Amino acid sequence: MQDEPGPTELTKAVADFLREDIAPLVLDQNAFKLRVAINMLDLVSRQLTLEAASDAAEGVRLRRLLAMQGSLFELNRALADKIAKGELDLQTPGLAEHIWQTTMDKLAVDQPAYTAYRRELERPD
């Protein structure tokens, strides 16, 4: 689809409709299933909104850290291999920061209401 609304807006609209108009009418086990579906749509919406930028930033960090090129998958595989072989550890400049930022970026998509995540966002640098 080339025109508005885009996938992000459509996914959010469906989630909002289900949450606001349908959820109050649904009872029992179907209410739980509906909440699961709404949560999935919210996650997809966040992924559509945040994933490209966080993946790009992760790739930049990995290329700098590993001094190599490759896809995000290849870079993460290389990172895991180097950690497993003991070639990189938390004393490696930039590794702890990379792991922390990658974790925060993933939580922004997967669990943005997670208490520990929210607390970290509010911490002054």
Side-chain angles (χ1 to χ4, degrees):
M1 184 182 282
Q2 296 177 4
D3 297 324
E4 296 294 329
T8 303
E9 294 84 8
L10 291 171
T11 304
K12 183 181 179 332
V14 171
D16 290 345
F17 167 72
L18 292 173
R19 184 178 8 263
E20 296 164 13
D21 297 342
I22 303 301
L25 307 174
V26 178
L27 304 172
D28 302 325
Q29 75 222 31
N30 289 325
F32 172 76
K33 291 175 183 177
L34 180 60
R35 284 194 311 274
V36 170
I38 291 167
N39 288 339
M40 184 274 311
L41 289 168
D42 288 339
L43 187 140
V44 169
S45 183
R46 290 188 303 271
Q47 198 168 19
L48 288 168
T49 302
L50 302 172
E51 189 174 48
S54 65
D55 282 358
E58 181 181 0
V60 168
R61 289 191 308 271
L62 285 168
R63 283 189 289 281
R64 186 177 305 130
L65 187 63
L66 300 169
M68 63 179 281
Q69 297 295 314
S71 69
L72 194 55
F73 178 82
E74 293 164 337
L75 293 167
N76 274 302
R77 173 67 54 96
L79 177 65
D81 288 345
K82 288 182 179 289
I83 291 171
K85 292 176 184 173
E87 297 172 16
L88 297 176
D89 60 25
L90 290 177
Q91 304 311 309
T92 303
L95 180 59
E97 294 82 3
H98 166 71
I99 292 170
W100 183 256
Q101 187 59 56
T102 301
T103 300
M104 293 298 286
D105 290 348
K106 290 184 183 304
L107 284 171
V109 171
D110 191 51
Q111 294 293 323
Y114 182 52
T115 303
Y117 169 74
R118 304 295 314 162
R119 188 172 45 245
E120 287 302 314
L121 287 179
E122 295 168 4
R123 278 180 32 166
D125 288 333

